[in-house]
Amino acid sequence: MTTTIANPIYDLAFKYLMEDERVVKILLSALLRKQVTQVSTRRNELINVDRDPVSVFRLDYRAVTVDAQGREEHVLIELQKTDLPSDLLRFRQYLGTQYRAEENMVPDTDDPEGKRKHALPMIAIYLLGHRVGSIEEPVLYVTPKAENYDGEAVTQGLPDPFVDSLTHSSIIVQIPLLHGRLRNHLERILNIFDQTRKDTAQGYLLNIDEADYSGDEDQRLIFHRLLTAGASKEMRERMEMEELLFRDYDERGVELLKQRKQLQENEKQLQENEKQLQKQSEQLQEKDSQLQEKACQLQEKNSQLQEKDSQLQEKDSQLQEKDSQLQEKDSQLQEKDTQLQEKDTQLQEKDTQLQEKDTQLQEKDTQLQEKDTQLQEKNTQLQEKNTQLQEQSEQLRQTIRLLMQASVPAEFIAERLNIGIEAVKRMAGD
């Protein structure tokens, strides 16, 4: 009998599937070819549930595996799923983040003081909705190999925590090649991703013969999990939106990827600019105090400024053409309103002379008015950022309401968003 289930290649369906710890153990055990006895979800990142052309769904796990000889091992598992050709740089950057994470380091067992640490072995799993080159194998295992200069395998002293901390294994699954592959337990488990059974009208659904999953308990558990997702009206509506966005992917994907990178760079630049603005604000506060301290010095320099009035008037044109001489003409800068505005750096060197003339104090008033204008612009920027934060907060509330309506536990949402459960309930109730 043909049954309709949710298509796990779609992010929403895959997320729902992997929220069941039993499914996680089944899938990881099959992929790792070892029994996963314990698994815990670590920080996970869901990139674009709304599915832009380079969406990547990521899940991080810390697991305990047991091999056929009963040897237990603690490992980190970085699972990344994408149904579209993705930028390799994004995969590499994500792995680099994991290599840098202090939380992935554990003390050496032979160091009772815990000063020496090594990284837990890491396994990267890629579920790809596209083919990789001309490789014909649906599942590819890539493992580090230790050799000497002559290309001979080195086994003595291995595995070693230092060596394992600097290398990792990878498992690459090419979903388009799964069709008709039922040679082993793993291929039978992964067969649920076979896209040849995609519904022609509703791509987010698969048409499955339930009898194909009646003889294996692990397959049946995965089947029923996706059957539940496919039967949910709300889940189907959300997956339909995901499907509509998916159909919009075309040749513009490459350009959108470039634009996304540019946006990321712009965001970094904005963050740096904000830091610089904050630093400049602190510097302005420091200079205010310096100006107050130099008030008495300016009064003492009034006579010197009066003597240089004639010289400064003669040098007005020269000051506009010779920036280098501005540093040597501190007294003349105090009479040149227009030049003072262009030479902020020289104003710092001429603080002692600026306060020696009443006319210079009037010029300082002009600068203060300009600073007021800058402060007003910053306030406007802050108001715009507050508006953006409010919009993001509203989006977060809507997302939490949708998740709560989808019967996602509030504790789960709080854990994923790293906020208090009371905040989740409050946002869901607003």
Side-chain angles (χ1 to χ4, degrees):
M1 180 179 68
T2 301
T3 305
T4 300
I5 66 173
N7 188 347
I9 196 68
Y10 284 77
D11 292 346
L12 290 169
F14 186 73
K15 178 178 183 293
Y16 181 82
L17 177 66
M18 299 301 284
E19 287 173 352
D20 191 321
E21 183 177 320
R22 296 172 300 172
V23 172
V24 175
K25 288 182 178 179
I26 290 171
L27 182 59
L28 294 183
S29 295
L31 285 166
L32 299 179
R33 298 176 292 191
K34 296 179 181 180
Q35 185 66 32
V36 175
T37 58
Q38 299 178 35
V39 65
S40 60
T41 304
R42 301 168 63 248
R43 293 181 308 169
N44 67 76
E45 177 184 10
L46 178 60
I47 302 297
N48 278 335
V49 178
D50 293 333
R51 303 183 54 78
D52 69 8
V54 288
S55 68
V56 177
F57 186 95
R58 298 187 177 106
L59 289 171
D60 299 346
Y61 297 102
R62 180 167 179 169
V64 178
T65 65
V66 178
D67 62 14
Q69 289 72 38
R71 290 173 298 197
E72 188 176 274
E73 183 180 22
H74 291 254
V75 297
L76 297 176
I77 300 172
E78 314 298 336
L79 189 154
Q80 304 188 54
K81 180 196 72 68
T82 179
D83 50 352
L84 301 170
S86 302
D87 182 13
L88 283 175
L89 180 60
R90 299 181 68 190
F91 288 132
R92 290 172 58 85
Q93 288 175 336
Y94 185 67
L95 287 174
T97 300
Q98 299 308 309
Y99 272 107
R100 292 193 300 270
E102 179 69 23
E103 63 191 53
N104 294 338
M105 305 294 290
V106 295
D108 289 353
T109 56
D110 58 351
D111 181 15
E113 296 182 358
K115 293 182 179 180
R116 295 197 311 271
K117 293 183 177 181
H118 67 274
L120 289 171
M122 182 167 64
I123 304 170
I125 300 175
Y126 304 96
L127 299 179
L128 306 180
H130 59 89
R131 293 194 56 174
V132 178
S134 59
I135 300 172
E136 293 296 333
E137 281 297 325
V139 183
L140 187 66
Y141 288 85
V142 183
T143 57
K145 188 164 110 176
E147 296 179 342
N148 62 15
Y149 178 80
D150 297 320
E152 300 170 337
V154 175
T155 59
Q156 183 179 359
L158 297 176
D160 178 81
F162 180 84
V163 176
D164 292 343
S165 296
L166 299 177
T167 59
H168 72 275
S169 300
S170 298
I171 304 173
I172 301 172
V173 178
Q174 300 184 83
I175 293 175
L177 298 180
L178 292 174
H179 177 61
R181 303 292 185 103
L182 300 171
R183 300 170 298 181
N184 51 56
H185 177 66
L186 173 60
E187 290 183 351
R188 288 190 292 274
I189 290 295
L190 293 177
N191 186 255
I192 198 72
F193 289 90
D194 185 357
Q195 295 301 295
T196 62
R197 296 175 293 188
K198 182 189 295 187
D199 188 89
T200 55
Q202 298 170 309
Y204 53 87
L205 298 176
L206 297 179
N207 296 318
I208 302 292
D209 187 348
E210 187 172 355
D212 294 341
Y213 297 88
S214 60
D216 186 288
E217 188 62 30
D218 290 346
Q219 288 180 276
R220 189 154 189 83
L221 177 61
I222 296 174
F223 171 81
H224 277 290
R225 183 72 177 172
L226 293 174
L227 179 64
T228 301
S232 170
K233 179 181 178 182
E234 180 180 356
M235 181 68 74
R236 289 168 74 109
E237 290 176 351
R238 294 176 64 192
M239 288 191 296
E240 183 176 0
M241 293 178 62
E242 190 176 357
E243 167 70 6
L244 292 174
L245 291 172
F246 172 70
R247 291 177 182 174
D248 289 338
Y249 173 63
D250 53 15
E251 295 178 354
R252 294 174 300 171
V254 175
E255 183 62 26
L256 288 174
L257 176 60
K258 294 179 181 179
Q259 292 177 2
R260 180 180 186 136
K261 289 181 179 178
Q262 185 62 46
L263 285 174
Q264 291 174 346
E265 293 176 359
N266 290 344
E267 288 177 358
K268 291 181 180 179
Q269 186 61 44
L270 285 173
Q271 292 176 355
E272 293 177 0
N273 291 343
E274 288 178 358
K275 291 179 181 179
Q276 291 178 356
L277 286 173
Q278 183 177 1
K279 184 176 180 181
Q280 291 176 356
S281 178
E282 294 174 354
Q283 291 176 349
L284 286 173
Q285 292 178 355
E286 292 177 359
K287 289 179 181 180
D288 286 340
S289 61
Q290 291 177 359
L291 287 172
Q292 293 176 357
E293 293 174 357
K294 292 178 179 180
C296 58
Q297 296 178 359
L298 287 172
Q299 293 176 357
E300 296 173 357
K301 298 292 183 177
N302 283 335
S303 58
Q304 295 179 1
L305 285 172
Q306 292 173 356
E307 294 173 359
K308 297 199 181 247
D309 284 344
S310 58
Q311 295 179 0
L312 288 172
Q313 292 173 356
E314 295 172 357
K315 298 286 185 178
D316 283 344
S317 59
Q318 295 179 1
L319 284 170
Q320 295 174 357
E321 299 173 354
K322 297 181 179 182
D323 292 342
S324 61
Q325 294 180 1
L326 285 170
Q327 296 177 355
E328 301 173 357
K329 300 293 181 180
D330 294 339
S331 60
Q332 294 177 359
L333 284 171
Q334 295 173 355
E335 297 178 358
K336 301 295 179 180
D337 292 345
T338 55
Q339 293 178 2
L340 281 171
Q341 294 173 357
E342 298 171 355
K343 302 294 180 179
D344 290 338
T345 56
Q346 293 181 358
L347 277 172
Q348 296 175 359
E349 300 174 359
K350 300 297 180 178
D351 288 337
T352 55
Q353 296 180 356
L354 284 171
Q355 296 177 355
E356 296 174 359
K357 290 187 68 69
D358 293 336
T359 57
Q360 304 300 334
L361 290 173
Q362 294 175 355
E363 295 170 357
K364 202 62 182 178
D365 289 338
T366 302
Q367 291 182 351
L368 288 174
Q369 291 175 357
E370 294 175 355
K371 291 180 182 177
D372 288 339
T373 302
Q374 293 175 356
L375 287 173
Q376 291 176 358
E377 293 175 353
K378 290 181 181 178
N379 287 336
T380 302
Q381 294 176 355
L382 288 174
Q383 290 175 355
E384 293 175 353
K385 291 181 181 178
N386 286 337
T387 302
Q388 294 175 358
L389 288 173
Q390 290 174 357
E391 293 174 354
Q392 294 175 359
S393 177
E394 181 59 27
Q395 292 177 358
L396 179 60
R397 289 191 182 95
Q398 293 177 0
T399 300
I400 290 174
R401 292 193 189 108
L402 288 175
L403 291 173
M404 294 290 284
Q405 292 173 2
S407 299
V408 176
E411 295 80 359
F412 178 85
I413 299 172
E415 180 183 358
R416 293 302 181 273
L417 298 179
N418 196 21
I419 60 177
I421 188 170
E422 292 300 325
V424 171
K425 293 179 178 180
R426 183 171 62 255
M427 289 184 182
D430 287 343

